[in-house]
C-alpha cells in the first residue's frame, strides 16, 4: 500500500518551474532515496509534501487522502515529520530540552500553564529514548551550541523522530558531516524501526545504494527514473544526467 | 532543562525575602519611597521580559499596559464606582484583554514589524487618553477618595502611609513573581522559549505558535497592568505619562541591564536603574548623561546583565571554595 502518492505535481517560483509533473508512489515502510544535483528540486518537493509550499498543480495523497491546503502543523498531526537541510534546532537549549519540546508537540500537556514541565515524566522519558536512538544519550545536558557538527545533525533527525511519524522526510541528514559522522548517521537511520516510512535526500551514492529500497532521480525538477538501486545504477538516462557527472 | 529548586536556591530566596521585609527598618523613609517606585517598574519589567527574554520579541509598547492599568483603576473606582476590591481584579482582566487584542494583531508579524506595531498601538492609546476630557486630558485625574486598599482589619496594616504601602507593593510583586515563575516553568512557558529559538521548527513539530503568542502577550499585559495599579495607588492620581514610549524604552533598558536571560533579571534591573537614577539626581541635574554612561558600561562589560554577573560570581566563588559544582541559583530563561 502506498503511504504517500504524488500525482502530476507541479510547482514554480514565478516563471521558474522547479517541480515538473512529478508522479511518485512511496510504499509503506519503504526506505526511499531521492537523489539529484543541487537545485534539482528535492527540498522544494519536501516543502510541498509538508505543507510549507502549495503546488501549482497536482495532488499529494497521504494514506489515500488528499492533503491539499493543509498546514505544516496539521500535517504533523497526520504523521508527517521532517528534518531540514540546514540545522533547524533550538540552539540555546540543551539536547534534552530540544527533544522534550519535540515530544510534547502532540500532547495536550503543551497547553498546561501551571505545572512544572518536568512533572510530565512520560514526555521526558520519551525524549531520553529519542536521544538514545540518535546516539545522544550522553549529551542530554549539553547546550546545542556545544555539540559537534555531526551530533547536531543527529539531533536534527532526533527531533523529527519524536512525533512518532508514519512518514519521516530527511533532507540531506548528513550534509556537511565528516566521513566518520556520516557513517554513524546513516547507520542510525538504517536502524530506524521498519514501521516508519523514510524518504531520504542524500548525495553520497554509496550510502544511497546501501540503505534504500528504491531510488528516485530528479533533475531540473523532472523525475528521471524511479526504481530499485540496481535498476537505477543501470539506467542510461540516469547515468547520463547524473551519475556520470558526479563520477560515481 | 529546568533545574529543580534546590535547598540552596530556596535559602537564597528566603534571605532576599527577609532583607526585603526588614528594609523599612534598616533604611530611611526615602529608601522606602524609592522601593515603592522600584516595585511597579519591576513588575512592568517582569511582564516585558516574558515577551523579550522568553519569547524573543522586542515590544516597544508595554507602556500601554501600565498606562491603561492605571487609567482603568481610575475609571472603575471613580467613574464606574466599582468597589476597589472588585476594581483591582477587573483591571487585571482588562489589561489581559487588551493584551489578547494586541497579541492577535501582532501574532503573525516578524520581529521588526512587532516592534513597530506595538509602538504604534501604544502611541495611539497614549493619544486617546491625552484627549479624554473626563480623566483630565494631559493634566490627569486625582483620586476622589483613596485608591489604596484598606487592610487595617489585618493587624492595623495601614497602606495610606509609605511603609504600609511598601508591604502591599511587596505582596503584589511576590504574587506576580510566583505566577510568572510557575507559568514560565510550565510546558506552556517552554513553548515560548521554543518560539524564541526557532519558530519554523515549532510549527513543523505541530505547535500553533500564534495562540501561544497571543496568550503570552495577554499574560505579559496583565502583569504590566498590575504595575499600573500600583503606579496609580502610589501617586493617588493618573496621567498620560506612563503611556509614553519612553516608559516602554526605559523598561527595556532595565530588563537588559538586569539580564533578560534570568527570571530575576528584570527586578534587579529595575532596582538598579531607579536607585542609580535617584542617587545621580541628588548630585547633578545632568544626571541623564551619567545614567547613560553607566548603562553603556554595564551593557559593555556585563553582557548578560546584573543577574548574569551574579551567576558568574557565584560559580567563581563555588569553584574557589573547591565545591566545583556548576550551576547557578537563578534559573536561566532558556533552561
Ligand atoms: N524560495 C525560493 N524562491 C525562488 N526560487 C527558489 C526558492 N527555493 C528554491 N528555489 C529554486 O528552486 C530550485 C530547486 O531548489 P531546491 O528544491 O532547494 O533544490 P535541491 O534541494 O534539490 O538542491 C533551485 O533552482 C532554487 O534556486
Ligand atoms: Mg536541498
Amino acid at each position: 500500500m502506498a503511504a504517500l502518492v504524488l500525482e502530476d505535481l507541479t510547482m514554480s517560483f514565478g516563471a521558474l518551474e522547479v517541480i515538473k509533473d512529478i508522479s511518485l508512489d512511496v510504499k509503506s515502510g519503504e526506505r526511499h532515496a531521492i537523489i539529484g544535483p543541487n537545485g534539482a528540486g528535492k527540498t522544494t518537493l519536501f516543502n510541498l509534501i509538508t505543507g510549507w509550499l502549495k503546488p501549482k498543480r497536482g495532488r499529494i495523497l497521504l494514506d489515500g487522502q488528499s492533503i491539499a491546503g493543509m498546514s505544516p502543523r496539521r500535517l504533523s498531526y497526520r504523521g508527517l515529520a521532517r528534518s531540514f537541510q540546514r540545522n533547524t534546532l533550538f540552539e540555546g537549549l540543551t539536547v534534552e530540552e530540544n527533544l522534550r519540546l519535540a515530544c510534547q508537540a502532540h500532547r495536550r500537556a503543551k497547553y498546561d500553564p501551571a505545572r512544572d514541565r518536568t512533572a510530565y515524566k512520560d514526555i521526558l522519558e520519551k525524549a531520553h529514548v529519542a536521544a538514545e536512538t540518535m546516539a545522544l544519550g550522553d549529551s542530554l545536558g549539553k547546550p546545542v551550541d556545544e555539540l559537534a557538527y555531526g551530533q547536531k545533525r543527529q539531533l536534527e533527525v532526533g527531533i523529527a523522530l519524536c512525533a512518532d511519524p508514519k512518514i519521516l522526510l530527511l533532507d540531506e541528514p548528513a550534509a556537511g558531516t565528516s566521513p566518520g559522522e556520516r557513517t554513524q548517521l546513516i547507520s542510525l537511520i538504517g536502524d530506524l524501526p521498519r514501521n516508519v516510512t523514510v524518504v531520504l535526500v542524500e548525495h553520497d551514492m554509496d550510502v544511497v545504494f546501501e540503505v534504500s529500497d528504491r531510488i528516485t532521480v530528479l533533475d531540473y525538477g523532472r523525475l528521471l527514473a524511479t526504481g530499485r538501486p540496481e535498476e537505477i545504477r543501470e539506467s542510461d538516462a540516469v547515468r547520463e544526467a547524473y551519475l556520470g557527472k558526479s563520477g560515481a | 532543562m529546568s533545574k529543580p529548586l534546590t535547598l540552596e536556591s530556596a535559602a537564597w530566596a528566603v534571605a532576599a525575602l527577609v532583607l526585603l521585609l526588614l528594609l523599612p527598618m534598616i533604611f530611611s523613609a526615602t529608601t522606602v519611597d524609592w522601593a515603592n517606585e522600584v516595585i511597579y517598574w519591576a513588575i512592568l519589567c517582569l511582564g516585558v521580559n516574558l515577551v523579550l527574554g522568553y519569547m524573543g520579541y522586542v515590544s516597544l509598547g508595554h507602556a500601554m499596559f501600565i498606562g491603561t492599568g492605571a487609567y482603568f483603576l481610575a475609571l472603575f473606582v471613580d467613574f464606574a464606582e466599582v468597589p476597589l476590591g472588585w476594581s483591582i481584579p477587573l483591571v487585571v482582566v482588562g489589561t489581559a484583554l487588551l493584551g489578547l487584542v494586541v497579541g492577535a494583531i501582532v501574532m503573525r508579524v516578524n520581529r521588526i514589524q512587532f516592534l513597530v506595531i506595538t509602538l504604534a498601538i501604544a502611541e495611539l492609546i497614549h493619544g486617546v487618553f491625552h484627549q479624554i476630557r473626563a480623566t483630565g486630558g494631559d493634566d490627569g485625574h486625582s483620586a476622589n477618595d483613596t485608591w489604596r486598599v484598606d487592610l487595617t482589619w489585618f493587624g492595623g496594616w495601614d497602606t495610606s502611609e509609605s511603609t504600609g504601602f511598601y508591604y502591599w507593593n511587596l505582596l503584589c510583586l511576590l504574587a506576580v513573581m510566583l505566577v510568572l515563575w510557575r507559568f514560565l516553568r510550565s510546558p506552556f512557558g517552554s513553548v515560548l522559549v521554543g518560539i524564541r529559538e526557532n519558530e519554523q521548527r515549532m510549527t513543523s513539530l505541530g505547535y500553533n505558535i500564534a495562540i501561544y503568542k497571543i496568550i503570552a502577550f495577554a499574560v505579559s499585559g496583565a502583569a504590566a497592568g498590575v504595575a499600573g495599579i500600583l503606579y496609580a495607588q502610589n501617586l493617588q492620581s493618573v496621567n498620560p505619562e506612563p503611556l509614553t514610549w519612553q516608559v516602554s524604552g526605559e523598561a527595556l533598558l532595565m530588563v537588559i541591564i538586569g539580564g533578560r536571560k534570568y527570571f530575576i533579571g528584570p527586578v534587579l534591573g529595575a532596582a538598579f536603574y531607579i536607585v542609580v537614577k535617584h542617587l545621580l539626581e541628588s548630585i547633578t541635574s545632568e544626571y541623564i548623561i551619567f545614567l547613560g554612561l553607566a548603562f553603556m558600561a554595564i551593557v559593555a562589560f556585563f553582557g548578560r546583565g546584573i543577574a548574569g554577573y551574579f551567576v558568574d560570581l557565584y560559580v567563581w566563588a563555588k569553584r574557589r571554595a573547591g565545591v566545583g559544582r556548576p550551576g547557578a541559583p537563578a534559573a536561566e530563561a532558556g533552561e
Side-chain angles (χ1 to χ4, degrees):
Chain A
M1 149 110 191
L4 177 70
V5 178
L6 311 183
E7 286 179 4
D8 302 321
L9 209 58
T10 299
M11 159 76 202
S12 57
F13 291 111
L16 181 70
E17 215 163 67
V18 294
I19 298 290
K20 297 168 189 159
D21 279 321
I22 289 188
S23 295
L24 178 68
D25 287 10
V26 178
K27 297 195 183 76
S28 200
E30 189 175 33
R31 299 285 176 271
H32 196 115
I34 296 180
I35 63 173
N38 271 330
K42 306 179 295 291
T43 297
T44 304
L45 195 63
F46 274 18
N47 285 337
L48 288 169
I49 297 169
T50 51
W52 289 95
L53 293 173
K54 303 284 166 243
K56 194 164 106 186
R57 274 199 312 278
R59 293 207 306 166
I60 302 170
L61 306 175
L62 200 61
D63 291 328
Q65 281 185 311
S66 169
I67 60 167
M70 286 192 197
S71 64
R73 193 171 72 81
R74 268 191 74 193
L75 287 168
S76 82
Y77 277 95
R78 299 292 290 269
L80 267 185
R82 72 175 288 184
S83 74
F84 294 84
Q85 183 171 352
R86 291 180 48 193
N87 282 341
T88 305
L89 307 168
F90 309 112
E91 288 281 341
L93 309 182
T94 60
V95 169
E96 185 181 52
E97 183 62 3
N98 269 262
L99 294 169
R100 199 197 58 78
L101 274 170
C103 292
Q104 177 186 269
H106 288 174
R107 298 280 307 269
R108 287 180 65 160
K110 68 180 169 177
Y111 291 114
D112 182 341
R115 281 179 82 187
D116 199 284
R117 67 187 73 159
T118 52
Y120 291 94
K121 296 270 182 267
D122 49 336
I123 296 180
L124 212 49
E125 192 51 45
K126 204 167 161 215
H128 293 174
V129 171
E132 292 297 336
T133 308
M134 291 317 290
L136 290 168
D138 296 333
S139 309
L140 280 173
K142 264 197 197 169
V144 171
D145 31 27
E146 285 175 22
L147 292 181
Y149 185 78
Q151 291 180 306
K152 288 191 187 183
R153 294 310 286 167
Q154 284 158 233
L155 183 59
E156 179 71 34
V157 176
I159 291 175
L161 265 181
C162 283
D164 295 324
K166 283 188 272 187
I167 302 181
L168 185 60
L169 305 163
L170 303 176
D171 195 352
E172 301 199 30
T177 53
S178 68
E181 291 169 338
R182 168 174 297 253
T183 312
Q184 173 169 31
L185 201 57
I186 294 304
S187 90
L188 289 172
I189 292 168
D191 290 344
L192 291 178
R194 265 289 166 176
N195 57 1
V196 185
T197 308
V198 179
V199 184
L200 172 81
V201 170
E202 169 59 50
H203 276 307
D204 188 320
M205 284 310 121
D206 297 336
V207 165
V208 166
F209 286 120
E210 185 189 314
V211 302
S212 357
D213 302 319
R214 282 198 306 155
I215 298 171
T216 290
V217 187
L218 289 191
D219 193 28
Y220 290 109
R222 222 181 293 279
L223 191 153
L224 287 189
T226 293
R228 292 193 308 282
E230 56 274 19
E231 293 170 343
I232 295 299
R233 210 192 294 270
E234 282 151 23
S235 153
D236 290 337
V238 173
R239 192 170 310 191
E240 232 167 78
Y242 185 52
L243 296 181
K245 280 188 229 159
S246 74
Chain B
M1 202 62 257
S2 24
K3 299 166 194 104
L5 209 54
T6 61
L7 209 61
E8 191 180 352
S9 42
W12 279 102
V14 169
L17 186 62
V18 168
L19 190 70
L20 286 171
L21 286 171
L22 294 179
L23 184 132
M25 289 145 225
I26 304 172
F27 296 100
S28 67
T30 319
T31 315
V32 176
D33 289 337
W34 290 1
N36 287 337
E37 197 182 337
V38 165
I39 289 177
Y40 68 72
W41 278 108
I43 294 176
L44 170 64
C45 289
L46 284 164
V48 168
N49 200 40
L50 194 162
V51 174
L52 177 72
Y54 287 83
M55 208 170 79
Y57 277 78
V58 182
S59 157
L60 252 181
H62 266 61
M64 77 173 98
F65 297 113
I66 182 171
T68 52
Y71 269 104
F72 283 165
L73 188 73
L75 291 170
F76 285 136
V77 179
D78 283 2
F79 293 84
E81 294 180 356
V82 178
L84 188 61
W86 283 104
S87 294
I88 288 174
L90 279 177
V91 173
V92 177
V93 172
T95 45
L97 289 177
L98 177 64
L100 282 181
V101 172
V102 177
I105 295 171
V106 296
M107 68 184 184
R108 296 201 197 281
V109 305
N110 68 34
R111 282 168 161 79
I112 301 292
Q113 292 164 327
F114 187 90
L115 187 149
V116 175
I117 294 172
T118 50
L119 173 63
I121 296 172
E123 283 295 287
L124 180 87
I125 293 174
H126 176 223
V128 168
F129 278 104
H130 199 89
Q131 291 303 325
I132 293 180
R133 280 274 176 74
T135 50
D138 200 21
D139 298 329
H141 163 88
S142 292
N144 289 350
D145 187 5
T146 182
W147 289 337
R148 293 197 186 174
V149 187
D150 182 7
L151 295 172
T152 44
W153 53 270
F154 193 83
W157 184 348
D158 180 8
T159 56
S160 68
E161 51 84 34
S162 234
T163 302
F165 184 54
Y166 165 75
Y167 286 116
W168 162 251
N169 279 323
L170 195 57
L171 185 70
C172 292
L173 175 65
L174 293 175
V176 170
M177 284 177 74
L178 185 70
V179 170
L180 290 183
W181 173 256
R182 302 234 20 181
F183 180 66
L184 290 167
R185 284 174 72 94
S186 71
F188 197 107
S190 74
V191 174
L192 302 184
V193 175
I195 290 173
R196 176 189 80 202
E197 294 292 326
N198 203 319
E199 292 191 14
Q200 183 187 21
R201 184 63 115 166
M202 290 303 274
T203 302
S204 180
L205 283 171
Y207 286 100
N208 186 348
I209 61 174
I211 297 270
Y212 284 88
K213 286 181 184 172
I214 293 175
I215 292 175
F217 217 71
V219 173
S220 169
V226 173
I229 294 170
L230 299 185
Y231 173 88
Q233 289 181 326
N234 190 27
L235 285 183
Q236 295 285 20
S237 67
V238 287
N239 60 70
E241 200 191 302
L243 285 164
T244 57
W245 63 268
Q246 285 92 334
V247 168
S248 305
E250 274 184 299
L252 283 178
L253 254 181
M254 291 178 191
V255 169
I256 289 162
I257 289 167
R260 71 193 155 88
K261 291 269 176 158
Y262 301 90
F263 180 75
I264 198 73
V267 179
L268 298 179
F272 181 85
Y273 187 102
I274 296 298
V275 170
V276 169
K277 186 173 124 178
H278 283 314
L279 289 175
L280 285 173
E281 258 173 350
S282 63
I283 301 169
T284 163
S285 58
E286 301 302 325
Y287 71 93
I288 198 82
I289 297 172
F290 296 98
L291 204 57
L293 286 174
F295 299 149
M296 280 166 64
I298 288 198
V299 173
F301 297 115
F302 309 112
R304 285 153 60 230
I306 299 170
Y309 174 73
F310 278 132
V311 168
D312 290 346
L313 197 68
Y314 173 87
V315 170
W316 176 82
K318 278 257 140 150
R319 203 163 288 151
R320 258 185 77 106
V323 181
R325 188 181 67 87
E332 253 189 72
E335 300 191 337

